[in-house]
Amino acid sequence: MARYFDIHPENPQRRSIGQVVDLLRGDGLIAYPTDSCYALGCQLGNRDGIDRIRTIRHLDDRHHFTLVCENFAQLGQFVHISNAVFRSIKAATPGSYTFILPATKEVPRRLLHPKKKTVGVRIPDHVVTQALVAELGEPLVSSTLLLPGHEEPMTQGWEIKEELDNQIDAVIEGEAGTEPTTVVDFSDDGPEVVRVGSGDPAPFE
C-alpha cells in the first residue's frame, strides 16, 4: 500500500519531505506533483524503480526518462551543454520544459536513448518538487504519470493512490499542472520542439 503525504504547496513540511526522501533512498517509487503535471519518480540508481515506471507506463527502451534537477550546477553534471544552448535553456528555466541533451558518463546506461545516448533534463518551477530534489541531493529520475489508454495525465493525488496503490510506495497530494512539459530536443544542431505542452514553444521554434 502506498503511503499518502499531504504536503503544503508553499511551505512544505520538512518532516514530510524527509520521510519521502527516506523512501526514495530505500529504492521507493513515488508519484509527485510538478508545475506541469504529476510524475513518477525514483532515485538515479534504483533499477527496480525504473523497471516499475516502464511497467506502469508500458514504455519501451526508446523512451526518454527525465532527470529532474534542482539547479544548473546539478544539471551540468549529467548533460553536455554548449554556451549557446545554455543561454537558450536558462532563459526558459525554471519552467515547464524538458530538454533532450547528450548525456555525460554520470547517467546510467539504462536511462539513455539506445541510439542517441541522450537523456531528458528539467528544472521545475514547483516548491514541493524543488524541496524534494534539494533534500535528496541528486536528480529524480522521472516520467509523466500518463497511464496506458489514458489521453490525459493524472492530476489528483487521491485518484493516483486509488489506481496505483500496490505499484508505488508513496503519493504526494499537492497542486500540480494539468499538461505535460514542452519537450525540446537539442541533441542535433538546433532546437527541435518534439512535444508541445505547458511551456510556450515559441522561443524554440
Side-chain angles (χ1 to χ4, degrees):
M1 245 176 99
R3 293 183 64 184
Y4 188 76
F5 294 90
D6 193 354
I7 295 182
H8 195 279
E10 292 168 15
N11 299 294
Q13 304 92 316
R14 290 194 65 180
R15 183 168 177 271
S16 297
I17 293 291
Q19 288 173 326
V20 175
V21 167
D22 286 345
L23 283 171
L24 288 166
R25 288 181 178 145
D27 284 347
L29 175 63
I30 68 167
Y32 69 101
T34 78
D35 49 342
S36 56
C37 55
Y38 263 88
L40 294 166
C42 67
Q43 203 170 15
L44 203 56
N46 183 354
R47 296 172 67 96
D48 175 64
I50 293 162
D51 287 342
R52 282 197 278 164
I53 292 173
R54 288 191 193 278
T55 300
I56 289 168
R57 290 209 50 208
H58 294 186
L59 301 174
D60 62 25
D61 64 358
R62 293 185 304 278
H63 175 75
H64 271 110
F65 280 94
T66 298
L67 302 181
V68 174
C69 300
E70 181 186 1
N71 50 37
F72 273 99
Q74 192 177 74
L75 184 146
Q77 298 173 46
F78 296 92
V79 289
H80 297 290
I81 184 166
S82 69
N83 288 336
V85 172
F86 175 84
R87 284 194 295 272
S88 292
I89 291 176
K90 188 152 179 50
T93 299
S96 298
Y97 296 91
T98 298
F99 301 101
I100 308 294
L101 289 159
T104 68
K105 291 180 179 177
E106 299 294 315
V107 181
R109 285 182 63 186
R110 60 206 318 268
L111 289 178
L112 302 179
H113 187 283
K115 289 184 179 175
K116 294 183 169 185
K117 307 302 182 209
T118 48
V119 71
V121 286
R122 69 175 297 230
I123 300 172
D125 186 13
H126 193 276
V127 173
V128 173
T129 310
Q130 283 284 351
L132 275 177
V133 179
E135 182 71 18
L136 185 62
E138 63 178 68
L140 259 178
V141 177
S142 289
S143 183
T144 302
L145 214 176
L146 180 61
L147 296 180
H150 289 221
E151 291 188 8
E152 304 288 335
M154 301 189 79
T155 58
Q156 300 293 328
W158 63 270
E159 287 182 331
I160 294 165
K161 178 164 167 51
E162 218 168 68
E163 183 87 21
L164 299 176
D165 206 18
N166 296 314
Q167 295 172 271
I168 61 178
D169 300 293
V171 178
I172 295 175
E173 180 64 74
E175 292 180 4
T178 56
E179 220 181 337
T181 55
T182 290
V183 179
V184 185
D185 190 338
F186 274 103
S187 58
D188 291 323
D189 292 340
E192 180 191 355
V193 177
V194 294
R195 180 179 75 192
V196 176
S198 47
D200 180 8
F204 304 101
E205 289 177 329

